[in-house]
């Protein structure tokens, strides 16, 4: 009998001998009645790929080479087949950045909820044009309009929804108190 197995890393012959390299050899095992049975083996041993290490930084989620999706930073091992069908081990040190693109409004002042980012305030009424010099976490509108903020955090960039600011320049007047007095008291028509 002749066989031609192709394996990854090592092969145990029918007689129990372990091979770690490709070879052609004869193996002897007892047959059903206890006599020698000779097998001609043409062995191909393919090797797994040694561990590779990568450190991706991504925004929101990461799909590993094997197809698993990660949404938070982690260290993990991923295994995929190499070109010869054996394991390829990848050590992954993953950093997942996220952006909180929420904005809080207090009167004419808008504040980005993400306190650890960089900011560029935008004029939504003018095609999301950047507002010159407005790169702080908070922005106070000097005129009525619609405003948003572009937030950058590591590999992530996101833009908030546009928020309408109205009433800029309207000053409330103090209410005058009128003191009405009628004389004589009681008054008669």
């Amino acid at each position: 009998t002749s066989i031609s197995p192709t394996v990854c890393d090592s092969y145990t012959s029918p007689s129990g001998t372990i091979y770690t390299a490709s070879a052609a050899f004869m193996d002897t095992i007892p047959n059903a009645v206890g006599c020698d049975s000779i097998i001609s083996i043409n062995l191909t041993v393919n090797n797994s790929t040694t561990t590779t290490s990568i450190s991706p930084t991504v925004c929101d989620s990461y799909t590993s080479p094997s197809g698993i999706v990660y949404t938070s930073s982690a260290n993990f091992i991923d295994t995929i087949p190499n070109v010869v069908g054996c394991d390829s081990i990848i050590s992954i040190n993953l950093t997942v950045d996220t952006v909180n693109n929420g904005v809080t409004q207090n009167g004419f002042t808008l504040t980005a909820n993400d306190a650890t980012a960089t900011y560029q305030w935008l004029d939504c009424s003018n095609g999301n044009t950047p507002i010159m010099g407005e790169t702080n976490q908070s922005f106070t509108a000097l005129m009525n309009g619609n405003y948003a903020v572009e937030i950058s955090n590591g590999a992530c960039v996101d833009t908030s929804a546009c928020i309408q600011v109205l009433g800029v320049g309207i000053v409330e007047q103090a209410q005058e108190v009128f003191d009405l007095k009628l004389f004589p008291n009681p008054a008669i028509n």
Side-chain angles (χ1 to χ4, degrees):
T1 302
S2 178
I3 60 173
S4 297
T6 299
V7 298
C8 292
D9 301 320
S10 67
Y11 173 75
T12 303
S13 72
S15 66
T17 304
I18 297 174
Y19 294 89
T20 59
S22 296
F25 59 92
M26 305 294 271
D27 198 25
T28 305
I29 58 172
N31 65 14
V33 292
C35 298
D36 286 345
S37 180
I38 309 253
I39 301 172
S40 174
I41 300 175
N42 187 15
L43 175 64
T44 301
V45 176
N46 293 321
N47 293 310
S48 296
T49 304
T50 57
T51 302
T52 302
S53 181
I54 60 174
S55 298
T57 298
V58 298
C59 185
D60 296 325
S61 68
Y62 174 76
T63 302
S64 73
S66 66
I68 300 170
V69 176
Y70 293 89
T71 58
S72 60
S73 297
N75 292 317
F76 60 94
I77 301 294
D78 199 27
T79 305
I80 59 173
N82 64 14
V83 295
V84 293
C86 298
D87 287 346
S88 178
I89 310 293
I90 305 167
S91 173
I92 302 174
N93 179 18
L94 176 64
T95 301
V96 177
D97 291 330
T98 59
V99 171
N100 176 349
N101 69 350
V103 174
T104 303
Q105 182 175 11
N106 185 7
F108 309 134
T109 301
L110 305 175
T111 303
N113 293 345
D114 192 329
T116 63
T118 58
Y119 318 92
Q120 175 61 64
W121 289 92
L122 309 170
D123 183 351
C124 297
S125 301
N126 194 14
N128 284 355
T129 302
I131 302 170
M132 185 90 98
E134 294 298 339
T135 58
N136 292 321
Q137 184 180 1
S138 292
F139 164 72
T140 301
L142 300 177
M143 61 175 46
N144 293 334
N146 291 302
Y147 301 98
V149 63
E150 181 181 87
I151 304 166
S152 300
N153 187 358
C156 299
V157 177
D158 202 357
T159 303
S160 72
C162 293
I163 298 174
Q164 187 174 39
V165 176
L166 295 174
V168 176
I170 298 174
V171 179
E172 290 186 27
Q173 297 293 320
Q175 188 176 20
E176 293 183 29
V177 177
F178 296 99
D179 190 13
L180 182 63
K181 295 182 182 182
L182 296 174
F183 290 99
N185 192 359
I188 300 176
N189 287 338

